[in-house]
Amino acid sequence: MSPAADTGTGTRADTGTARADAPSWPAEFAERYRSAGHWRGETLGGMLRERAAAHPDRVAVVDPDGDPRRTVSYAELDARADRLAAGFTARGIAPGDRVVVQLPNTAEFLEVVFGLFRIGAVPVLALPAHRRAEIGYFCAFTEAVAYVCPGRHAGFDHRDLAAEVLRDTPGLRHVFVADRDPGPFTALADVPRTPGSGGPPPGGGPRPEDVALLQLSGGSTGVPKLIPRTHDDYLYSVRASNEICGVTADSVYLVALPAAHNFPLSSPGSLGLLYAGGRVVMCPQPSPDTAFLLIEREGVTITGLVPPLALLWTEAAAAGTPYDLSSLDVLLVGGAKFSEEAARRVRPAIGCRLQQVFGMAEGLVNYTRLDDPDELVNGTQGRPISADDEVLVVDDEDREVEPGTTGHLLTRGPYTIRGYWRAPEHNARAFTADGFYRTGDLVRALPSGHLVVEGRAKDQINRGGEKIAPEEVENHLLAHPAVHDAHLVAEPDAYLGERSLAYVVLRPAAGPLRPAELKSYLRGRGLAGYKVPDRIAFVAALPTTGVGKVSKRELRAAAAGPDSPAGPGPAVRPDTDRTEGTNGTP
Ligand code: AMP
Ligand code: DBH
């Protein structure tokens, strides 16, 4: 726990600690990004304050899930953030303190994060699908002082999860529940006891160079990595995204993906819309039925989807829909590779323009431009936001490849982190000595600067935009007493692009075990549903490399199909199975 949190004085004492936790840009780069006008010395909380002063009565957020539909004006959102900030401060939440926020697509999500931004407390942006394993880890690792959650959401009771996490995490002091029945905890509605002043935030508020929020990385290691984004750098990516995506005060953005994810939050997402003075519509779930109704009713002009959802919407629209989608101007698709064939079908079916987006919570975001010719829009994943985004395509020895050749993508720039939060050892591998982030993506650059994503070098599965780190899941599998060895790889899936396949070797003495039992074991360990393997294959042995290590390469090739050059792969026992997918969000 931070000294500031102990006393609740709201001083800046914690800022220095936060800096040591979050590697920052060298002074000459910071200077360059400031003088180029990228970093403008704004904060997210200050931005909302200015918008509320400029157009208090405009609608900022629509929350259609309630009855009646709820609208929140800019003045209301600002006042609500203020009052939450005052209430959180009264409960001892101080600048620099971490607060794990796990809320569905509701206006409360924005109210809470802006309440925290205003104090300079740091939201840790968990996804609704996360369960005890992830939430417990975020709370412990970030030494969070509070957890904000819904009551029941998507059939799951977060109050029970909170009770378990609270028991196991001594530093966690508060649980705030966005429900009239908070159980043994505090209802979020009871937090703003004190009216906000509308004046400067307690402790003067954060500085533009401070960490505003911690995003999550899909990662490729045993535990998720946290991504420290500053006010300055995040606001730059948002402002520049607005320009590229044509967002203005007249735009209406539908938050169809989980609101906390970097894509619907900042590319240009809800923050982009608030920056522009436009309107954010929270979509409770992304099915065509719900989303199409909201597009018609709210006059949605722009939204963002992962490829599986874009396919679903395209099919639904092509089949004929009773809803009028003519307000929709731009559909952003990203999070995983969108095939050229699928890309071509978007406009004829839905009637909107397509923008591909290849982004990462670590920073770099590429967009196809609205005036790009069709072959670039359909066949590439776009080009970087900024002239100051440095992009290198290199071979295994970090030497630049011939232009147009596929290689590893490295990047640094005005909104790409210089290191993960509290992860010095991992940072030494994930960044080059001169500060380039090793994205783990294999790309080919066109002369125009557009990138085509050709594959991936990192050990990660991209399940329709939901990133899975195999090592994390393997560790949970290995905890089962009957499991001797386990390896998770991707296998192709027509809808998701990739799904997960676990090769499992059981201990010789172990009794029979069914895949379904192993899956429920993983769920019982509190693992998010999208990380539970889609398929489990029990095998007698795993292929090894020359030095006797398990060959992931061969397993991946085997999962890719029987025709793969590596041959048929390990002999699979017949008791394998498949399950239903999860919801295909990033
Ligand atoms: P994360 O680092 O967890 O935010 O995930 C970002 C990663 O998602 C990227 O490094 C890519 O591997 C993948 N990704 C995002 N957008 C696209 C896209 N349009 N095409 C292919 N891969 C993508
Ligand atoms: O996958 C991602 O993380 C992503 C995709 C599109 C992202 O972070 C973004 C846009 O900002």
Side-chain angles (χ1 to χ4, degrees), residues 217-218 335-337 357-362 381 441 453 458 462 467:
S217 165
K337 174 93 177 243
V357 49
F358 161 39
M360 49 206 78
E362 286 82 355
Q381 280 62 58
D441 294 311
V453 178
K458 58 189 163 191
N462 191 332
K467 318 302 189 305

Side-chain angles (χ1 to χ4, degrees), residues 78-390:
D78 184 56
R80 180 93 179 143
D82 246 358
R83 296 176 68 225
L84 276 168
F88 286 144
T89 301
R91 284 169 167 81
I93 296 178
D97 281 352
R98 273 76 58 195
V99 174
V100 175
V101 177
Q102 184 186 33
L103 290 173
N105 292 2
T106 55
E108 275 156 332
F109 169 76
L110 289 172
E111 293 167 354
V112 167
V113 295
F114 274 97
L116 296 169
F117 291 153
R118 197 144 272 170
I119 303 172
V122 180
V124 181
L125 297 176
L127 298 174
H130 287 139
R131 293 293 176 259
R132 195 182 65 241
E134 291 88 9
I135 300 295
Y137 174 75
F138 300 144
C139 288
F141 181 69
T142 68
E143 299 174 273
V145 298
Y147 168 47
V148 187
C149 63
R152 230 185 143 67
H153 176 67
F156 181 79
D157 199 323
H158 291 257
R159 290 162 292 211
D160 297 342
L161 185 159
E164 288 181 65
V165 172
L166 197 61
R167 193 192 55 214
D168 298 341
T169 321
L172 190 65
R173 287 184 278 139
H174 301 284
V175 174
F176 301 110
V177 185
D179 194 287
R180 259 185 297 228
D181 173 11
F185 309 113
T186 307
L188 195 59
D190 291 338
V191 171
R193 285 183 306 201
T194 1
S197 63
R207 297 176 302 189
E209 65 269 33
D210 288 341
V211 171
L213 52 92
L214 289 171
Q215 267 293 0
L216 310 179
S217 165
S220 56
T221 62
V223 289
K225 294 287 177 290
L226 294 155
I227 299 168
R229 301 294 299 265
T230 66
H231 294 270
D232 260 338
D233 91 73
Y234 216 51
L235 276 165
Y236 171 48
S237 77
V238 160
R239 176 166 18 90
S241 294
N242 276 353
E243 241 168 77
I244 292 167
C245 305
V247 170
T248 68
D250 296 324
S251 300
V252 181
Y253 182 91
L254 187 74
V255 183
L257 297 173
H261 190 273
N262 196 59
F263 177 11
L265 187 63
S266 70
S267 297
S270 50
L271 294 181
L273 269 283
L274 295 179
Y275 194 98
R279 187 180 288 205
V280 177
V281 178
M282 290 293 184
C283 191
Q285 49 113 345
S287 71
D289 276 354
T290 306
F292 288 4
L293 179 147
L294 288 174
I295 290 171
E296 175 180 299
R297 200 177 75 193
E298 306 294 340
V300 169
T301 63
I302 176 169
T303 186
L305 295 178
V306 288
L309 285 171
L311 286 172
L312 203 63
W313 285 29
T314 305
E315 279 160 26
T321 165
Y323 298 109
D324 176 5
L325 305 180
S326 61
S327 63
L328 189 67
D329 177 30
V330 174
L331 175 63
L332 290 145
V333 180
K337 174 93 177 243
F338 197 39
S339 77
E340 191 162 352
E341 293 70 33
R344 271 196 233 108
R345 291 203 294 267
V346 167
R347 186 164 197 154
I350 307 181
C352 63
R353 294 186 282 178
L354 168 70
Q355 232 178 340
Q356 292 210 42
V357 49
F358 161 39
M360 49 206 78
E362 286 82 355
L364 181 71
V365 181
N366 304 276
Y367 294 101
T368 58
R369 301 308 199 257
L370 291 171
D371 57 0
D372 276 344
D374 283 353
E375 75 247 32
L376 289 179
V377 171
N378 296 329
T380 78
Q381 280 62 58
R383 63 180 169 85
I385 284 181
S386 176
D388 281 313
D389 281 320
E390 297 173 77

Side-chain angles (χ1 to χ4, degrees), residues 1 16 20-21 29 32 50 79 95 154 189 197 201 213 227 229 234 286 288 339 405 479 484 503 511 520:
M1 196 183 301
D21 291 336
F29 284 88
R32 192 206 292 178
E50 281 177 26
S197 63
L213 52 92
I227 299 168
R229 301 294 299 265
Y234 216 51
S339 77
T405 319
H484 169 69
Y503 286 107
S520 57

